Amino acid sequence: MGTEHSKNEGRRSMVFLRKGPKLPAWEDALLAGREPKSLLKRGLRYVSLSLIMKGMTSTPDFLWGLPEVQKLNLSRNHLVMIPPSLGKLDRLVVLNLGGNCLKCLPKEIGLLRNLKVLFVNMNCLKEVPAELSLCRKLEVLSLSHNCISQLPLSFTDLTSLRKLNLSNNRFVQIPLCIFALRSLDFLHLGSNKLENIAESIQYLVNLQIFIVENNNIRSLPRSLCYLSTLELLNVDYNAIQTLPDDLYLLRRLCRIAWNPMDKGLHIAHNPLSRPLPEVVEGGLDVLFNYLREKKEHN
């Protein structure tokens, strides 16, 4: 009877242990005496390490001893800073720091000369280090949902940058350095405090997607109409009353779009002067014909 009781108690203990909180993968590996390198995953393209949603408030020291890592995901934690040791991971191609509590980035980020993709969205950044411009291979950069109001002029050196997301920040105007980024095909500046779009927008000759919804823009510059590659223009929720007569030159805009994911012209929720609201309801062809005829009569 005593033996049977002991067995039952043992089973209950085992069940209790199984139901206890599980250690994060990296802590589990280290406590088991395994090499930190065992956490790395070797895919067809990259050597990667993911420490997503581990509840971390600081980065584990072993991380900086893994120089072979090329893709690092530290997103959705509670990190308040990234140490200068980040510069040791100079083979990084993809770095995801999104969804943390970062107030700044270390200047050593400029040592990541192979970096192509960087996500620092949903943090508490107020500024971006000028040294980031040393990452000349950078192609994709997301700084959305921060508190940034300006960019360093050195950003003009990011000549490989193709996709830039600056939405949900505090920009009052489009930073001048952006107009030097001639490779940009995607630019998102929605939910800022923009009051205008500078004529210099015409220099972004490869721009395909341009989003400036939910700002305070009152009019569109004529030079915007010369971006012949533009396929999606979203100016929803602004203060636009009139449209430039040359807007019909944007021939790659295929429709008046209502779904945020659709390509075309998004122009809802603006105080358009009459007869523009009725013309827009007729569709893009009707709008373009109206603007063309209006220009011919002027």
Side-chain angles (χ1 to χ4, degrees), residues 242-259:
T242 62
L243 296 175
D245 292 344
D246 288 332
L247 195 67
Y248 68 87
L249 295 174
L250 298 177
R251 296 184 178 88
R252 292 199 180 185
L253 296 181
C254 56
R255 63 173 72 87
I256 298 291
W258 304 100
N259 187 317

Side-chain angles (χ1 to χ4, degrees), residues 240-297:
I240 298 170
Q241 296 184 26
T242 62
L243 296 175
D245 292 344
D246 288 332
L247 195 67
Y248 68 87
L249 295 174
L250 298 177
R251 296 184 178 88
R252 292 199 180 185
L253 296 181
C254 56
R255 63 173 72 87
I256 298 291
W258 304 100
N259 187 317
M261 301 302 292
D262 286 347
K263 290 183 177 181
L265 174 63
H266 298 252
I267 198 167
H269 305 284
N270 279 283
L272 295 173
S273 59
R274 292 187 177 279
L276 283 176
E278 293 78 8
V279 174
V280 168
E281 286 185 8
L284 192 66
D285 288 341
V286 173
L287 173 62
F288 279 2
N289 286 334
Y290 168 80
L291 293 174
R292 191 183 294 108
E293 290 175 6
K294 181 183 174 187
K295 182 182 178 181
E296 290 173 355
H297 286 95

Side-chain angles (χ1 to χ4, degrees), residues 228-245:
S228 59
T229 56
L230 210 56
E231 297 179 358
L232 189 158
L233 173 59
N234 190 336
V235 293
D236 284 349
Y237 293 97
N238 275 283
I240 298 170
Q241 296 184 26
T242 62
L243 296 175
D245 292 344

Side-chain angles (χ1 to χ4, degrees), residues 26-46:
W26 61 274
E27 288 185 3
D28 192 21
L30 295 183
L31 287 175
R34 290 162 56 193
E35 281 286 328
K37 290 184 179 182
S38 65
L39 298 171
L40 298 176
K41 293 184 179 180
R42 301 180 183 274
L44 294 176
R45 295 186 63 189
Y46 301 125

Side-chain angles (χ1 to χ4, degrees), residues 61-114:
D61 289 338
F62 76 81
L63 185 57
W64 317 121
L66 301 173
E68 61 266 58
V69 66
Q70 296 170 288
K71 187 175 181 180
L72 176 61
N73 192 341
L74 298 175
S75 65
R76 300 174 71 182
N77 281 287
H78 306 289
L79 302 176
V80 295
M81 61 91 68
I82 300 294
S85 301
L86 174 67
K88 295 179 180 180
L89 304 183
D90 56 4
R91 297 185 194 176
L92 275 181
V93 177
V94 180
L95 175 59
N96 191 341
L97 300 172
N100 280 287
C101 307
L102 302 176
K103 293 184 178 180
C104 63
L105 294 173
K107 64 181 182 180
E108 286 77 10
I109 198 168
L111 298 175
L112 307 182
R113 303 299 172 86
N114 292 300

